Amino acid sequence: MASVPKPVELIQIESKPPDQPWMDNKAEFKAGAYCNAALPKWLEILDYPYPRRWSVTDDDWNLPENWKEIFLKAFEDRLNRFRSFRLFMDICVRCGACADKCHYFIGGGDPKNMPVLRAELLRSIYRRYFTTSGKLFGKLAGARDLTEDVLKELFYYLYQCSECRRCSVFCPYGIDMAEMTILGRELLSSVGINIEWIMASVGSCYTTGSHIGAPPHAFKDTVDFFCDECEEITGIRPHPDFNRKGAEILFVAPSGDYFADPGTYTFMGYLLLFEYLGLDSTLSGYAAEGGNFGYFGSHEMGKRLNYKIYSEARRLGVKWILGGECGHMWRVINQYMDTWNGPADFLEEPVSPITGTKFENAQTTKMVHICEFTADLIKNGKLKLDKSRNDHIIPTFHDSCNPARAFGFFEEPRYIIHNVCNNFYEMPEDTIREKTFCCGSGSGLNADENLELRMRGGLPRANAVRYVHEKYGVNHLSCICAVDRAVFPPLLEYWVPEVDVIGIHEMVANALIFPEESERKTDLRLRPLKGFESEDTDED
């Protein structure tokens, strides 16, 4: 893990124009700001090109002999296949509306992390090889030759973009920097340049069904352990089943929710809710991952990983799919599913078996977000809730980038929070909803070796959290993304250590009243509820 300066040192952000024109500055690889190269075994498993051992800090990256030809051929292929890519190459007018919207630029001050300039790294190559003006006039037309130094610069900055699309909200032309980042990473991958954190996660998911590499029996053992915990805390034991054919619903959650705290408490919340409802659902040990790290680096790999969910739904013969609190799973489902793998005509249009509500927005994908499902339950009076059980929690809500900007998912999570909590406070208006700041570690950048980059990238969000903490006493940041639940704890420990991280369905489970439950004195984390602080709740 890279060492990180103290917050008082990191906050000293120097932002100034470079001494030389930006094309003449080589990328300076700073420790803590880049991710490690992917090991060849993952590329071999996934049938990716040019697996080899190399290191980011080496002068020689062991590129294939004809790497330039390969890269440019891949560039031309994307220009022909993706009309949006060619459009984004041509229409930017350098207005600068996006310049101060990227959290990496705000937190680090590097001009090449302004989205307009990060995109110019690709555009300069496009102009040189695919436009007449660039071929004739070179630098005068904003074009430059593709060299190894330019390739390294692309790697350095395309992996300092979390594909959050905040810059796109402010772009008058709607240029999607996330799409350009994905396509740029595909070009790098064409010559064997990938990062370990993404490829290891993708390779593990491709072979075992989850990004953490948990085989089906390990997934079942973990869920059984959660059931033990639920029973000990509430007196209610959930009864999930696995790989059951003929169930009405296949439930798919991100692996982050059964791998580490605090996501584990969110998974316990799912289990308790389903037990309360008697929901006819099943889990799959083979599609035990809703997240899609493949999407972070390649449209093709995103398609491959998304397909396994639907393949398993077909095998099990379920009617529709219910998805957990995940970020990139929902961007893939909402924006890409129908093109990549759908429409899923072998499934039925989702209808809640509890309320009868038709989820018309899922007519083609046949997949419903659990917050849609739970909000509908609450609206129809199907859950008995005691909001006071969350009185020790004073939450704000982080609009996770993918559900918010790609899914338009603003109201349902807030509706649930208002119905399970008595105290809720919003962060400043220009930091939430479609303008939300990123966690700073999305798109596969949640490794340890780039921790300083993560702390810098997460500074704008942490600053908004600090504001509501100091003004309203907020002590929890709630979110509906497993990556957020994984990366916010170290970010907040660094910038706002008084604030914890929590999922929506953890709070739902705290408030949920079962007819035959034990007396509730603690929440799912065994923290005393308000009014029970002085009691010894540990019976042992």
Side-chain angles (χ1 to χ4, degrees):
M1 180 182 293
S3 61
V4 181
K6 295 179 180 179
V8 70
E9 299 170 329
L10 204 65
I11 201 69
Q12 305 302 317
I13 301 167
E14 183 178 346
S15 181
K16 64 178 184 179
D19 297 329
Q20 307 175 62
W22 69 267
M23 288 190 189
D24 299 329
N25 285 332
K26 296 181 181 179
E28 181 184 350
F29 285 80
K30 298 178 180 178
Y34 61 85
C35 295
N36 293 333
L39 293 175
K41 70 174 183 177
W42 301 119
L43 276 64
E44 292 167 355
I45 287 172
L46 297 167
D47 196 27
Y48 266 43
Y50 306 109
R52 66 193 186 282
R53 285 195 174 272
W54 62 284
S55 175
V56 175
T57 56
D58 291 343
D59 291 333
D60 185 359
W61 283 13
N62 296 319
L63 295 168
E65 185 176 349
N66 59 336
W67 70 267
K68 185 174 177 179
E69 177 186 348
I70 296 168
F71 187 96
L72 292 175
K73 185 176 180 180
F75 206 129
E76 183 177 22
D77 173 68
R78 270 61 176 187
L79 288 171
N80 291 332
R81 287 168 52 203
F82 300 95
R83 287 179 294 175
S84 59
F85 190 35
R86 186 179 290 274
L87 188 66
F88 295 156
M89 290 290 103
D90 288 327
I91 66 174
C92 177
V93 295
R94 287 66 159 184
C95 68
C98 65
D100 61 346
K101 306 307 186 294
C102 177
H103 42 277
Y104 292 113
F105 175 64
I106 296 171
D110 188 337
K112 290 184 181 178
N113 270 327
M114 294 187 294
V116 60
L117 190 45
R118 190 188 292 121
E120 283 295 301
L121 304 181
L122 279 170
R123 288 195 185 102
S124 63
I125 301 170
Y126 166 73
R127 295 192 194 99
R128 170 64 181 83
Y129 297 97
F130 301 102
T131 69
T132 302
S133 60
K135 292 175 182 178
L136 292 175
F137 301 109
K139 279 189 177 182
L140 291 176
R144 61 175 177 168
D145 291 335
L146 177 59
T147 65
E148 288 193 27
D149 286 336
V150 169
L151 192 74
K152 291 179 179 181
E153 183 180 54
L154 281 174
F155 170 83
Y156 190 55
Y157 288 102
L158 290 178
Y159 283 99
Q160 291 188 53
C161 171
S162 60
E163 302 173 9
C164 78
R165 302 171 73 235
R166 188 172 194 265
C167 55
S168 300
V169 172
F170 297 90
C171 176
Y173 292 97
I175 295 173
D176 193 334
M177 187 64 222
E179 284 295 305
M180 286 200 284
T181 295
I182 295 167
L183 289 166
R185 290 182 181 183
E186 284 189 12
L187 300 181
L188 292 171
S189 184
S190 72
V191 292
I193 298 176
N194 304 275
I195 67 169
E196 173 69 9
W197 191 257
I198 290 180
M199 300 313 292
S201 299
V202 172
S204 297
C205 189
Y206 196 63
T207 54
T208 65
S210 72
H211 291 149
I212 59 174
H217 60 277
F219 173 59
K220 181 183 184 303
D221 288 346
T222 300
V223 175
D224 286 343
F225 172 76
F226 292 158
C227 293
D228 293 340
E229 292 290 292
C230 289
E231 185 175 20
E232 180 178 344
I233 296 165
T234 69
I236 303 297
R237 183 176 184 85
H239 296 85
D241 62 24
F242 301 83
N243 308 318
R244 175 167 61 90
K245 292 186 176 182
E248 180 174 1
I249 298 167
L250 171 63
F251 177 65
V252 181
S255 60
D257 281 352
Y258 56 85
F259 174 62
D261 298 343
T264 53
Y265 304 111
T266 301
F267 203 105
M268 290 166 64
Y270 304 148
L271 294 172
L272 286 167
L273 176 64
F274 298 162
E275 184 68 17
Y276 181 94
L277 299 171
L279 195 67
D280 182 13
S281 64
T282 192
L283 297 163
S284 168
Y286 304 97
E289 176 65 80
N292 195 324
F293 269 53
Y295 162 76
F296 294 149
S298 159
H299 290 88
E300 179 58 35
M301 185 51 68
K303 176 180 178 179
R304 276 203 253 176
L305 294 190
N306 186 64
Y307 178 72
K308 74 182 188 312
I309 298 173
Y310 287 86
S311 176
E312 187 67 349
R314 185 191 295 273
R315 185 184 75 85
L316 295 176
V318 300
K319 292 182 179 179
W320 55 279
I321 306 170
L322 182 63
E325 295 182 19
C326 180
H328 42 292
M329 170 168 67
W330 288 103
R331 182 171 176 199
V332 166
I333 294 299
N334 188 55
Q335 290 193 302
Y336 297 97
M337 162 63 193
D338 282 346
T339 302
W340 285 353
N341 309 111
D345 294 335
F346 60 93
L347 296 173
E348 298 181 9
E349 181 179 343
V351 176
S352 172
I354 312 301
T355 68
T357 297
K358 288 186 177 181
F359 296 99
E360 296 180 355
N361 59 309
Q363 284 180 353
T364 59
T365 66
K366 310 300 194 297
M367 191 166 181
V368 174
H369 194 293
I370 192 167
C371 284
E372 296 175 274
F373 182 72
T374 301
D376 175 65
L377 293 170
I378 294 172
K379 182 179 180 180
N380 285 281
K382 300 300 182 180
L383 301 182
K384 189 174 182 181
L385 301 165
D386 182 354
K387 296 166 67 171
S388 70
R389 290 179 177 177
N390 284 312
D391 279 353
H392 60 303
I393 296 171
I394 306 174
T396 189
F397 180 66
H398 165 72
D399 290 277
S400 301
C401 299
N402 285 314
R405 278 189 280 268
F407 202 50
F409 209 55
F410 305 127
E411 303 307 328
E412 290 86 344
R414 288 175 168 84
Y415 179 78
I416 295 172
I417 295 172
H418 280 296
N419 279 276
V420 299
C421 291
N422 285 312
N423 305 293
F424 170 69
Y425 297 95
E426 292 276 18
M427 287 180 279
E429 184 177 353
D430 60 348
T431 73
I432 60 174
R433 297 180 183 270
E434 70 274 6
K435 298 178 183 178
T436 186
F437 277 113
C438 181
C439 65
S441 301
S443 80
L445 302 185
N446 47 324
D448 288 336
E449 64 266 20
N450 65 333
L451 197 58
E452 180 175 334
L453 174 71
R454 292 170 51 190
M455 297 302 103
R456 289 187 181 279
L459 172 59
R461 171 46 78 222
N463 193 41
V465 174
R466 177 171 290 282
Y467 173 81
V468 290
H469 166 68
E470 294 178 348
K471 186 171 183 178
Y472 303 114
V474 163
N475 58 15
H476 284 77
L477 177 64
S478 61
C479 56
I480 54 170
C481 173
V483 168
D484 285 336
R485 285 191 287 276
V487 303
F488 270 136
L491 180 77
L492 296 182
E493 178 63 29
Y494 185 81
W495 290 115
V496 199
E498 304 87 354
V499 178
D500 291 325
V501 181
I502 194 167
I504 300 295
H505 279 78
E506 178 183 346
M507 294 186 287
V508 170
N510 285 340
L512 199 57
I513 302 174
F514 283 83
E516 298 179 357
E517 67 182 13
S518 303
E519 182 183 8
R520 296 289 297 277
K521 296 183 178 180
T522 72
D523 63 10
L524 293 186
R525 304 188 191 194
L526 293 176
R527 300 177 300 188
L529 303 182
K530 200 164 185 177
F532 293 96
E533 296 89 346
S534 61
E535 293 192 26
D536 182 7
T537 57
D538 188 350
E539 296 180 358
D540 294 334

